[in-house]
Amino acid sequence: MRYAMSRKMPTFGQWLAGLCLFLTAWLHGMAVQAADILLTGAEESPGVQSFVQALSELRPTDRVHFQPLASLPAPGKLPSSLRLILLDLPSLDWRMQESQGPATLVLRISRLQARQRFGDTQPPHLSLLWADPPLSRQLQLIRRILPQAWRVGVLFDQHSEFLLKELQSAAQPLNLQIVPQRWDNTHDSRPLQTVLKSSDVLLGLDDPDLYNPKTAKNLLLSSYSRQLALVGPNVAFVRAGSLASTYSDQNDWLAVLDELLDRSPATWPRTLYPGRFKVSSNAQVARSLGIEPMNEVSVAAELAEGERRP
């Protein structure tokens, strides 16, 4: 019996030939799966170069490269197998020239920017990756760090008014009341004073007409004179003096792209908020408002866990 079994054992040469065939098939499979990934934008800044390099390192079997927008043909003339990543608004305007062209990810576009370009109808050939934090996440942050606050003041104008319905819907299960106030003229402080009188906290929308370097001083001084915290709208405002905000950094965005690029473009979502995010807070502002400085990592982990639960 032992002799019969040994006759069935492959020789070393047969084993080696089989191994070579396996490796050849495996390497061929890797080559077939490799993707051609093109990132484009108006300028190739050091920040863009760093991002492209980081994505290349994440995907060593793919061809990841940047090409300036000015050197590209019309979108429809690009190979359909290409996976296209747009890095700025000029590249989005170029892509919108025609519907033909490769599958396209629009990286870090705000809700307002999309609204101004598309209105209520989103082009089916684009996947929009939102830059501004989800309203529901910002409200969850308020509930977590300011448990006594329930009236959430929100300034808006004609561009950001469309967000109010979504905001109201997100606030309801948290037992938060949205106090909306239209602010069309930022040189007139009366709407700001009105909303501050009626609120426990001010939530900043990612609306650059209302929240910008020119309005920051008035917004921050007015809110803190009433001992009211401003949450959001972004990390820049946290550095300037708002209490806190959620945000996604380069590593978070790279993780999002890495996951999407592993999938068939046919399965890419039409819109997506990054599931990975962090919390930024201003400890000095917290102390001045009598709020204990927060553990940013712990708060972000709690918010993420809450989003994972059904």
Side-chain angles (χ1 to χ4, degrees):
M1 177 64 71
R2 285 194 299 269
Y3 176 73
M5 290 181 64
S6 66
R7 289 183 62 185
K8 295 180 181 179
M9 292 292 290
T11 66
F12 177 76
Q14 291 172 327
W15 176 83
L16 185 60
L19 178 61
C20 289
L21 285 172
F22 169 76
L23 290 174
T24 299
W26 180 66
L27 291 171
H28 176 72
M30 287 186 65
V32 169
Q33 292 174 7
D36 193 11
I37 301 167
L38 173 63
L39 297 92
T40 189
E43 297 181 2
E44 188 175 8
S45 65
V48 167
Q49 292 174 349
S50 172
F51 188 82
V52 174
Q53 178 62 31
L55 185 60
S56 299
E57 293 171 0
L58 268 181
R59 307 190 65 80
T61 62
D62 292 339
R63 180 171 179 259
V64 180
H65 58 111
F66 175 88
Q67 191 168 340
L69 183 61
S71 68
L72 291 177
K77 294 184 178 180
L78 293 174
S80 59
S81 60
L82 192 70
R83 298 186 179 194
L84 186 62
I85 301 175
L86 308 182
L87 300 178
D88 55 22
L89 293 177
S91 62
L92 175 59
D93 293 336
W94 161 83
R95 181 65 181 89
M96 289 301 297
Q97 292 176 15
E98 54 190 36
S99 59
Q100 291 76 24
T104 304
L105 296 168
V106 185
L107 187 65
R108 300 193 77 249
I109 181 173
S110 76
R111 299 282 300 279
L112 266 70
Q113 290 167 341
R115 178 83 172 193
Q116 289 167 352
R117 279 163 172 75
F118 311 134
D120 294 324
T121 306
Q122 181 189 329
H125 56 284
L126 300 180
S127 293
L128 306 181
L129 309 184
W130 299 126
D132 38 336
L135 298 177
S136 57
R137 187 176 291 163
Q138 295 288 77
L139 290 175
Q140 289 281 4
L141 178 64
I142 288 175
R143 173 55 76 213
R144 169 63 179 75
I145 64 178
L146 298 169
Q148 303 305 317
W150 65 276
R151 297 177 303 169
V152 181
V154 177
L155 293 162
F156 68 94
D157 63 7
Q158 59 177 336
H159 299 125
S160 50
E161 185 175 8
F162 76 99
L163 294 171
L164 291 180
K165 184 177 180 180
E166 179 183 334
L167 195 58
Q168 298 276 10
S169 178
Q172 189 173 5
L174 298 175
N175 294 318
L176 294 173
Q177 177 187 338
I178 300 301
V179 182
Q181 177 61 54
R182 194 177 191 94
W183 197 23
D184 289 321
N185 179 10
T186 56
H187 297 291
D188 181 0
S189 291
R190 288 175 296 179
L192 172 58
Q193 298 300 328
T194 296
V195 75
L196 291 176
K197 290 177 184 177
S198 309
S199 307
D200 303 313
V201 60
L202 186 62
L203 173 62
L205 300 179
D206 191 4
D207 183 342
D209 289 339
L210 303 183
Y211 291 89
N212 58 61
K214 292 182 179 179
T215 62
K217 183 177 180 180
N218 188 21
L219 281 162
L220 294 168
L221 290 180
S222 295
S223 58
Y224 294 137
S225 68
R226 293 183 174 274
Q227 286 291 287
L228 231 66
L230 168 61
V231 171
N234 49 48
V235 174
F237 253 83
V238 175
R239 298 192 191 104
S242 74
L243 176 60
S245 184
T246 64
Y247 72 101
S248 296
D249 63 12
Q250 174 169 299
N251 288 335
D252 297 322
W253 282 107
L254 286 168
V256 170
L257 289 179
D258 191 37
E259 189 273 330
L260 289 174
L261 292 169
D262 276 341
R263 296 162 48 180
S264 165
T267 69
W268 287 352
R270 298 275 59 81
T271 65
L272 181 70
Y273 281 110
R276 296 194 185 192
F277 63 93
K278 296 175 176 64
V279 170
S280 175
S281 65
N282 191 315
Q284 183 178 350
V285 169
R287 283 192 295 269
S288 69
L289 292 174
I291 301 170
E292 188 170 337
M294 69 192 73
N295 183 322
E296 297 170 342
V297 174
S298 175
V299 171
E302 289 181 25
L303 295 179
E305 178 61 28
E307 291 183 2
R308 285 191 290 267
R309 289 196 298 267

